[in-house]
Amino acid sequence: MITAIVFINAEVDRIPEVAEEVAALDGVSEVYSVTGHIDLIALVRVRRTEEIADVVADRVNKVPGVRSTETHIAFRTYSQHDLEAAFSIGGDFE
């Protein structure tokens, strides 16, 4: 699975609607409203690199209210949840 992190700048008065519409798109697993220079972050998960263009260029960028996007491709995933699951022996020990 390939993960892309998409920074989205949206029209300020449409941020909630843009977030909901982007979240409903095939290939988008999550959308976060964030602080800072961007308005939303979308996580795109697809099987092939070519599908990122289908999702971002052909779908996300066409959502009304999206002003611009910046896409980053993840090389590796490091998460505490994944690490704990990998080393868990199945019992709760305190």
Side-chain angles (χ1 to χ4, degrees), residues 49-67:
T49 305
E50 298 81 19
E51 293 177 81
I52 294 169
D54 295 338
V55 176
V56 178
D58 296 341
R59 295 185 207 139
V60 172
N61 281 329
K62 293 180 180 174
V63 169
V66 171
R67 295 185 337 180

Side-chain angles (χ1 to χ4, degrees), residues 7-10 15 34-41 67-68 70:
F7 296 172
I8 302 170
N9 283 307
I15 291 173
V34 297
T35 62
H37 296 289
I38 56 173
D39 301 308
L40 302 167
I41 295 177
R67 295 185 337 180
S68 65
E70 181 178 319

Side-chain angles (χ1 to χ4, degrees), residues 10-22 33 40:
E11 294 173 4
V12 175
D13 61 337
R14 287 206 26 91
I15 291 173
E17 293 85 2
V18 169
E20 289 178 14
E21 289 181 48
V22 170
S33 176
L40 302 167

